[in-house]
Amino acid sequence: MSDKFLFDGPAHSETTILLAHGAGAPMDSASMTATAQALAGIGFRVARFEFAYMAARRVSGERKPSPKGETLKPEYLEAVASLPASGRLIIGGKSLGGRVASMIADELYAARTIAGLLCLGYPFHPPAKPKQLRTAHLVDLKTPTLICQGTRDEFGTREDVAHYRLSPAIRMLWLEDGDHDLKPRKTISGFSAADHLQTLAQTVKDWSEGLTA
């Protein structure tokens, strides 16, 4: 771990994936760690970082509400600029982190800084508030995007998302019975969390091999 980034995977991978955390859990949460290790295990270099509010929680121990996503865009752009990486770069993150990345993706894609966007459990709407959509900027998104979503994610189920207008640049990976952390109930779905992580990693690899930038 550097002062800013937590790395997994081979240092000289052709593709680096930069991930930011969700609103309530840090970059080294169990979910983020398991996902990073799954991606690293298939050959990606994965870099994780924290927004300042989350880093401050480590010091103070206070769980203040997370800032609005729009206000975090400069921090994500700074992380991209300071990341020591060569080769292709994909940005993204868990929930809030992926949403912030989606807000800056087209700017970076147009500049050929990134090749794609990876969102893990995109927060299409707040739980129990399906009309408060966070999708306006996704309608005309130009950046090749993969959203990995559990079918029972309370921030956007498969049934919810089927009715949204989304850019043709967006590809959805639906993980059966997955929750917001993509975890299924094995007794109901027949899948384990490890099964879904394996599917996610392989899908990301296959998708990334088709990226042109």
Side-chain angles (χ1 to χ4, degrees), residues 167-182:
S167 164
I170 296 175
R171 174 181 171 185
M172 297 292 304
L173 168 64
W174 287 106
L175 295 166
E176 186 62 35
D177 196 57
D179 61 12
H180 195 49
D181 287 331
L182 309 179

Side-chain angles (χ1 to χ4, degrees), residues 102-184:
S102 73
M103 295 176 183
I104 62 171
D106 277 359
E107 172 187 347
L108 296 173
Y109 184 65
R112 303 184 66 82
T113 301
I114 66 170
L117 169 68
L118 174 64
C119 298
L120 308 170
Y122 187 85
F124 288 98
H125 59 75
K129 297 179 180 179
K131 293 185 179 181
Q132 293 186 19
L133 294 181
R134 298 159 172 162
T135 58
H137 68 293
L138 300 182
V139 176
D140 298 316
L141 192 69
K142 302 295 190 298
T143 307
T145 299
L146 177 62
I147 298 178
C148 302
Q149 196 87 355
T151 61
R152 63 183 177 94
D153 189 334
E154 61 182 353
F155 289 80
T157 66
R158 188 169 193 163
E159 290 74 19
D160 291 337
V161 178
H163 302 290
Y164 300 156
R165 288 183 60 222
L166 299 176
S167 164
I170 296 175
R171 174 181 171 185
M172 297 292 304
L173 168 64
W174 287 106
L175 295 166
E176 186 62 35
D177 196 57
D179 61 12
H180 195 49
D181 287 331
L182 309 179
K183 292 181 179 179

Side-chain angles (χ1 to χ4, degrees), residues 176-177 184-192 195-196:
E176 186 62 35
D177 196 57
R185 299 165 293 184
K186 188 170 185 179
T187 56
I188 293 176
S189 69
F191 296 102
S192 67
D195 292 334
H196 278 356

Side-chain angles (χ1 to χ4, degrees), residues 30-100:
S31 175
M32 287 284 290
T33 297
T35 303
Q37 290 176 349
L39 292 168
I42 207 165
F44 292 106
R45 182 179 186 234
V46 182
R48 288 175 274 168
F49 78 98
E50 283 184 349
F51 296 115
Y53 83 89
M54 184 60 71
R57 284 185 184 180
R58 293 183 183 271
V59 178
S60 68
E62 298 181 23
R63 290 184 59 86
K64 296 179 180 179
S66 61
K68 291 185 180 298
E70 293 81 358
T71 69
L72 297 172
K73 292 191 293 183
E75 286 190 55
Y76 207 122
L77 288 168
E78 195 279 328
V80 171
S82 62
L83 177 67
S86 59
R88 290 191 306 178
L89 176 62
I90 295 169
I91 64 170
K94 172 75 174 73
S95 194
L96 172 68
R99 182 178 174 226
V100 177

